[in-house]
Amino acid sequence: MEEKNCRSRGTWTTRIGFIFAAAGSAVGLGNMWKFPYVTGIYGGGAFVLIYLLSVIMIGFPIMVAEFMIGRNTQLSPVGAFTKLGKNRLWKFAGWLGVLSGFIILSYYSVVGGWILDYVIRSVFNQFQNCSVRQIEKMFEVLLESPLRQVGCHAFFIFFVVYVVSGGIARGIERWNKILMPTLFGILLLLLINSLLSPGAREGIKFLFNPDFSKITPSAILVAMGQAFFSLSLGMGAMITYGSYINQDTNIVNSAAEVCFLDTLVALVGGLVIFPIVFSCGLPPSAGPGLFFKTLPVVFSRLPWGSLIAFFFFILVTFAALTSAISLFEVVVSYVIDEKGWNRKKSSYFMGIIIFLVGVPSALSFNLIKNIEIIGKRNVFDSLDFIATNYFLPIGGLLIALFCGWSLSEKVSKDEIRKGGNNLFFYYLWRYIVRYIAPVAVTLVFIQKTGLISF
Ligand code: PHE
């Protein structure tokens, strides 16, 4: 490493910068907020197992595919598909990605707003000496308040628009190198605290002891969707980052590192939260509020709790922001290319629209909480359900098919060999994107319809 570092310092720094940028997109609310709560709803260990399988078998090869398309075309997703695709229909995959980014950001920003609300609460020392019940109530009060939620949502989206409109997203990515390891450091502190709590044993068992009777068609669909969501796959975010990759970077290793980091943070997030859940006697299936009802309990008891809470929520805001930037960049670069508008106009215009589209999600816990769209899901949950579990996997399926069947073999072989991989990797990857990943995604969809069962 030392030797390599000296010989090609430029490349090495760029590579680390790139890994952090891609990991900055991947690590976000999906890891700390969403992974624990969906795991809680779908029963723990067995869900985690399917999640891990999806990351390795489907997520990882598709991430390689996205990096490949990005580096090869140096274009935004719609442009990339237009340039490489022999058939004009491939453009559809690009559009679907833009639509997914648009929808996901609209409600992601609502959750980002909740985090901002918690930053402010920690400034005012509001968690100090609170009981578990009081902390639960705090979150419920936030959900019941339409104005506060819409206000926080507006603030969060404003930050995102501000960064993307100035074209300074890559500057922000540089902060990642300091802030992400700091966040991980605080998470490790919280982890030690959780592992010493009375609910530790039960929490660990819940996460890692699979109860196969809990595997339902929906659990399989949601676990796969969560893998796409958490790894930022299926909508072109990683195609965009791929376009910054240096020519001699090994995209297979890079994808493996990003998948590993992202999964590590999700698992640590779960290991922090579930012991608290069991120590406090909360239901693991508490839903989207799980993160907000559990962590402040720890902060209320720790010495310097408010200060740690403040840093923690600020760092989570930052993690959420870097993910939101990558969602927004896909939408904005599309508008810039399609409409020919400048970056500023495109960002502010789309930012306002996404804010407005997100308002019903913010209101779906109070003013319009009785409106159900898909099954018993409110607006917020329905948008998440459709975009995460259908749009992203369909986008990923198209990306896999594109790389496996449409892209010329010469292009894909060159891309994989650039970093020094041997042909064995290439053939393995190609086999997966041609057959395994598309068949697996399709089977997950079909089993959900009830036509087949395992
Ligand atoms: N991966 C991000 C997270 O976990 C969310 C995201 C999804 C970002 C899709 C970009 C694309 O928070």
Side-chain angles (χ1 to χ4, degrees):
M1 175 75 106
E2 203 42 48
E3 192 189 322
K4 187 176 166 210
N5 192 358
C6 293
R7 211 166 5 103
S8 56
R9 193 175 181 93
T11 314
W12 187 78
T13 358
T14 317
R15 195 180 113 76
I16 290 291
F18 157 67
I19 296 283
F20 269 100
S25 163
V27 175
L29 297 174
N31 308 60
M32 281 162 286
W33 161 75
K34 198 169 173 208
F35 174 77
Y37 102 69
V38 283
T39 301
I41 291 180
Y42 290 97
F47 179 87
V48 175
L49 196 68
I50 308 171
Y51 173 75
L52 293 177
L53 279 178
S54 312
V55 168
I56 297 168
M57 306 269 300
I58 306 174
F60 168 55
I62 291 183
M63 192 178 288
V64 173
E66 291 205 20
F67 287 164
M68 173 181 286
I69 298 175
R71 175 161 71 183
N72 191 265
T73 58
Q74 309 274 307
L75 286 170
S76 65
V78 176
F81 282 112
T82 314
K83 181 177 168 198
L84 289 179
K86 294 180 191 112
N87 188 318
R88 288 178 59 203
L89 283 177
W90 286 114
K91 254 190 156 176
F92 172 74
W95 288 330
L96 184 67
V98 175
L99 183 66
S100 308
F102 183 91
I103 294 178
I104 294 177
L105 186 55
S106 75
Y107 67 83
Y108 197 87
S109 158
V110 172
V111 185
W114 297 348
I115 307 268
L116 286 180
D117 187 85
Y118 273 55
V119 171
I120 296 166
R121 282 173 196 274
S122 49
V123 171
F124 289 102
N125 217 348
Q126 286 189 1
F127 308 126
Q128 201 80 52
N129 301 323
C130 281
S131 67
V132 174
R133 183 64 207 126
Q134 280 168 321
I135 281 171
E136 249 184 300
K137 187 86 195 125
M138 248 181 221
F139 185 69
E140 280 152 21
V141 168
L142 170 64
L143 285 197
E144 279 156 18
S145 154
L147 260 183
R148 194 154 144 190
Q149 283 211 65
V150 173
C152 292
H153 163 53
F155 261 111
F156 188 84
I157 202 92
F158 176 75
F159 283 141
V160 179
V161 170
Y162 179 75
V163 173
V164 171
S165 68
I168 48 176
R170 290 189 71 189
I172 290 271
E173 302 297 354
R174 255 174 250 141
W175 281 87
N176 263 342
K177 283 193 230 170
I178 310 164
L179 297 182
M180 295 257 289
T182 316
L183 174 61
F184 195 66
I186 298 193
L187 269 180
L188 288 185
L189 261 180
L190 297 176
L191 176 67
I192 296 171
N193 180 73
S194 282
L195 294 182
L196 295 173
S197 72
R201 184 181 289 261
E202 213 177 332
I204 295 172
K205 204 170 137 218
F206 182 78
L207 263 184
F208 295 118
N209 200 355
D211 170 359
F212 291 102
S213 69
K214 298 241 167 82
I215 299 187
T216 58
S218 299
I220 299 178
L221 182 80
V222 173
M224 180 180 75
Q226 172 62 17
F228 277 95
F229 184 89
S230 189
L231 297 170
S232 305
L233 295 176
M235 53 152 285
M238 291 300 182
I239 296 185
T240 313
Y241 282 110
S243 64
Y244 304 138
I245 308 179
N246 205 290
Q247 284 305 327
D248 43 44
T249 295
N250 183 326
I251 53 174
V252 178
N253 289 353
S254 304
E257 283 160 35
V258 175
C259 289
F260 174 78
L261 283 176
D262 187 72
T263 308
L264 185 69
V265 178
L267 292 177
V268 172
L271 277 172
V272 167
I273 285 180
F274 284 107
I276 314 174
V277 167
F278 291 108
S279 301
C280 299
L282 289 165
S285 58
L290 192 69
F291 174 92
F292 298 90
K293 291 176 180 171
T294 49
L295 284 165
V297 175
V298 180
F299 300 133
S300 73
R301 293 175 188 173
L302 280 180
W304 302 91
S306 295
L307 195 68
I308 303 178
F310 175 71
F311 278 120
F312 178 75
F313 287 118
I314 286 276
L315 290 167
V316 174
T317 305
F318 191 83
L321 207 57
T322 50
S323 302
I325 288 169
S326 68
L327 285 162
F328 197 41
E329 186 61 43
V330 172
V331 178
V332 170
S333 60
Y334 172 71
V335 176
I336 293 175
D337 293 349
E338 259 336 87
K339 295 253 171 234
W341 291 356
N342 64 29
R343 175 165 280 273
K344 203 167 202 135
K345 182 173 173 193
S346 315
S347 320
Y348 278 94
F349 181 76
M350 288 319 286
I352 291 170
I353 301 205
I354 292 178
F355 164 73
L356 294 175
V357 172
V359 169
S361 290
L363 302 184
S364 59
F365 300 94
N366 39 68
L367 293 185
I368 55 167
K369 70 174 166 222
N370 295 327
I371 297 184
E372 288 166 356
I373 311 251
I374 301 171
K376 293 228 164 300
R377 295 179 181 85
N378 61 19
V379 176
F380 174 97
D381 288 334
S382 303
L383 288 179
D384 181 34
F385 185 78
I386 288 284
T388 304
N389 301 328
Y390 289 96
F391 287 7
L392 294 184
I394 291 173
L397 174 74
L398 293 175
I399 288 168
L401 291 175
F402 179 77
C403 278
W405 297 92
S406 174
L407 197 62
S408 86
E409 205 176 332
K410 177 171 175 339
V411 171
S412 54
K413 202 184 257 175
D414 271 2
E415 282 295 333
I416 290 210
R417 283 167 88 182
K418 268 178 196 162
N421 288 308
N422 60 30
L423 279 180
F424 169 75
F425 268 120
Y426 172 69
Y427 288 114
L428 183 65
W429 169 84
R430 191 171 160 84
Y431 186 74
I432 296 179
V433 290
R434 286 194 129 197
Y435 306 105
I436 310 247
V439 169
V441 174
T442 312
L443 279 181
V444 172
F445 285 144
I446 299 178
Q447 60 98 32
K448 174 72 171 122
T449 64
L451 290 176
I452 53 162
S453 62
F454 303 122

